[in-house]
Amino acid sequence: MARSAVSNTVMADGVAIIRLSRPPRNALTETVLTELSAAMCDALAEEAIRAVVLSGDARVFSTGLDLEEIREFGSAPATQAGVLCDMVEHADKPVIAALSGHATGAGMELALAAHARVARRGTRAGFPEIARGLMPSCGGTQRLPRLVGAQVALDLLIAGRVMAVQEPPMSALMTRIIDADAEKAAVSLAGEMAQPDALWLSARTRVPGEDDPGAYARAVAGRHAALSDIPPGPWRMIAEQIVRCVEAAQLLPFEAGLEFERSAFEQVLETEGSAGLRHAYLAERRAARMPGAPASARAPRIETVGVVGGGPTATGVAMSCLDAGVRVVHFDRVASAVENIRGRISSAYDASMSEGRLSAEARAKRLELWTGTAHLPDLGRAQLIIEAVADNLETKKRVFGALDHVAQDGAILASQSMVHPIAALASSTSRPGDVAGLFFHGPALHARLAEVIAGAGTEESAIAALSAFVRGRLGRVAVRSGTGCGPMSEPILAALRAAAWHMLQQGFAPEQVDEALRKGGMTNGVFEAMDRIGLDVVLNRLMVQMDRPEFPGILRPCLERLTAAGRTGARAGVGFYRWSKGQPWADPVAIDVMFDGVDRPGQANPQSDSARIWLRLLAVMANAGARLLRDAGAQRPSDIDAVMVDGPGFPRWRGGPMHAAERADLVQINKVLNQHAEEMPALYAPDPLFAELIKTGGRLSVMV
């Protein structure tokens, strides 16, 4: 028998406590909403009950609607939650929300419908829906401006920031903020509000902008004007809908305003941008599910991290740990290099202090956690050692061989390598089961996501421990990668680069391809991105990866000609483009160099517009992703999407290449690939997964 998601306790003084108990998030699922509504009906019908307290537990009140249910059932969960909010607000007995842990999204909207809110200090509250491709759907745009005015309401709803309840302006929404048990304090307040002479009002009874209607209207007009200066896109579209709803709160009766909000929510829900942002959020959450991890094993707590290397990557890894309160032992074999590392870390924290982002006390505490050393055995204190030296296989193997002698038993040895096999590094040690890859996408200090890469002999317990550390201590998204050799984004980017070069061979220009990718939402075009990395760097990586079938070698001759001519990219001032003041410009000379000694391409088909170019390149990326799934390089399509969105800059609002391909229609993706399969089978031959899904009516999005 399924455990009830809601419990109902009646206190001796006639106060009913209705508790949500569906860990870990107390999400307002269909089951929870049904049980909550039933409990509320019972409490309101019982004459002996004088007031009601809605509560969660110490960790969470509610994080709002379940996005998986929204994906499956559309706006129905939001409608059901809205009905519950109306029931709470219309109650003829005072209803008090007791907030602890987290109260966000529709969970916070439910709290706004209550007649009072009691929160424990430190509770995090807010309306983060806009970042997830949604907007309030349970009356938030109507109740919030009635409680705090248009300006504050728009700030809270559009910024989507989650903050501590004691921070302004969130504190203005709280009736009481206490340091003790919020539920007990809410019961006490409920007793006071249940007295015959007590006056309590719902948000709907207040008049928006009553004190200064003109200021309310000016706040709305100002936000409309500010949004008009932002480039069109999903975020702006959702923000504009929020502004219209807040405007409607002043212009329409309350019930009509609720209907206006519901309509706006449904419009947002149907857009491609909303679907992509929701998928990206869910992809990051799903990544935590690692089927291969032993269910019974508890990941050992990592208290001290060893870092090997003196470059920017190693420094960023060390600072990520320090920011999370983790002790770091930082090794470089040269004592002066250790002092240089200390200086860079100290200077970085000084800059954060000068910008007001870090207090002197916090700076001192972080530096106290850092120990620099040129004595390798000092790394024996660490439960995790992260190697971040130059990406040279022989150098890394020597490092791992040395670490094997000093690391404590059970310590995890992790490499930041982008290209080298984990198994090759593990072969230099006597503990291959403890060796894994840990790749931070982007600068390690700011990376949102890290891939945990298993080698052929890596124990699942090591992967589980490393993933738990990345998620639980560093607060990053951890994705398990089965490539055994560098991040899963690399084969996809290699396919994209090969397809882009193939298009140049067919007559397209670099700027034409890149413009299509930017119009598709990519941060940079593929040729611009290679120029920024450095064509010599791209070529060196490709040379290392040449023996792997997922890395087509078609681009190698082009890169060799360009680098031989000194065109190594943005730093050199010329590459695929000519660079001036940090910006790329089309350069016909690059075409001459790229095709020196080979047949020049003809004019590109003028009908191949940006949309067609985007679709072709998307198909190639999705095809590379499907091959990763077949080869167990990725556990699920959404893991690929999470990596591509948080790593190389695939547009978040498109959800990732696998989600975007499904939205574009897998039949169409298969067709585009088949059109070019004879020209280059290794790149374009459709993976059998597409034909299988088309035949069975299956979907990539349900492969979780």
Side-chain angles (χ1 to χ4, degrees), residues 427-614:
S427 68
S428 298
T429 75
S430 61
R431 53 177 93 189
D434 295 331
V435 179
L438 180 61
F439 185 83
F440 290 89
H441 281 271
L445 183 57
H446 306 293
R448 181 182 175 90
L449 180 145
E451 285 189 54
V452 179
I453 306 168
T458 308
E459 295 286 348
E460 286 297 337
S461 57
I463 296 298
L466 197 48
S467 301
F469 175 75
V470 170
R471 282 195 307 273
R473 297 301 300 277
L474 301 188
R476 315 294 175 87
V477 177
V479 177
R480 186 193 194 283
S481 170
T483 63
C485 185
M488 65 177 76
S489 56
E490 277 298 288
I492 296 174
L493 290 176
L496 171 64
R497 292 165 182 164
W501 168 244
H502 184 223
M503 296 183 80
L504 261 59
Q505 290 179 313
Q506 294 178 325
F508 291 86
E511 61 271 19
Q512 188 180 7
V513 175
D514 280 358
E515 181 186 16
L517 287 167
R518 282 192 296 270
K519 283 184 176 180
M522 296 287 283
T523 306
N524 293 307
V526 60
F527 295 109
E528 178 187 346
M530 284 192 283
D531 265 5
R532 291 188 184 277
I533 294 169
L535 302 188
D536 50 341
V537 175
V538 176
L539 177 59
N540 287 339
R541 289 178 188 167
L542 187 59
M543 295 290 284
V544 173
Q545 298 161 331
M546 284 293 290
D547 60 339
R548 294 169 58 188
E550 65 268 38
F551 289 91
I554 178 178
L555 188 58
R556 177 181 169 182
C558 164
L559 292 175
E560 289 175 334
R561 286 192 288 270
L562 287 169
T563 55
R567 302 183 69 96
T568 56
R571 287 190 301 276
V574 285
F576 286 106
Y577 292 97
R578 175 175 56 83
W579 288 80
S580 176
K581 297 180 179 179
Q583 295 300 313
W585 301 88
D587 187 1
V589 177
I591 299 293
D592 293 336
V593 175
M594 283 186 276
F595 291 97
D596 183 30
V598 298
D599 291 338
R600 294 289 303 275
Q603 182 72 24
N605 184 345
Q607 290 187 347
S608 294
D609 56 18
S610 290
R612 292 181 186 222
I613 295 172
W614 165 257

Side-chain angles (χ1 to χ4, degrees), residues 175-237:
T175 311
R176 292 180 183 173
I177 299 173
I178 49 93
D179 293 314
D181 189 319
E183 185 177 280
K184 287 183 180 178
V187 170
S188 176
L189 178 59
E192 296 173 25
M193 294 175 65
Q195 296 301 315
D197 58 347
L199 178 65
W200 42 274
L201 300 171
S202 63
R204 73 167 57 216
T205 61
R206 307 190 186 195
V207 178
E210 183 176 23
D211 295 337
D212 190 344
Y216 190 108
R218 286 192 296 275
V220 169
R223 197 55 61 105
H224 273 306
L227 290 175
S228 68
D229 293 333
I230 296 174
W235 185 89
R236 172 176 156 177
M237 176 273 298

Side-chain angles (χ1 to χ4, degrees), residues 305-344:
V305 171
V307 177
V308 180
T313 297
T315 303
V317 170
M319 291 181 68
S320 297
C321 295
L322 298 175
D323 290 350
V326 178
R327 191 169 293 280
V328 172
V329 178
H330 201 143
F331 171 82
D332 193 289
R333 59 191 178 87
V334 180
S336 60
V338 174
E339 288 308 308
N340 289 338
I341 298 167
R342 186 195 307 275
R344 286 200 300 273

Side-chain angles (χ1 to χ4, degrees), residues 58 98-101 118-124 165-166 176-182:
L99 310 181
S100 292
V118 176
R120 182 168 185 165
R121 190 178 303 277
T123 296
R124 310 279 295 172
V165 291
Q166 67 269 20
R176 292 180 183 173
I177 299 173
I178 49 93
D179 293 314
D181 189 319

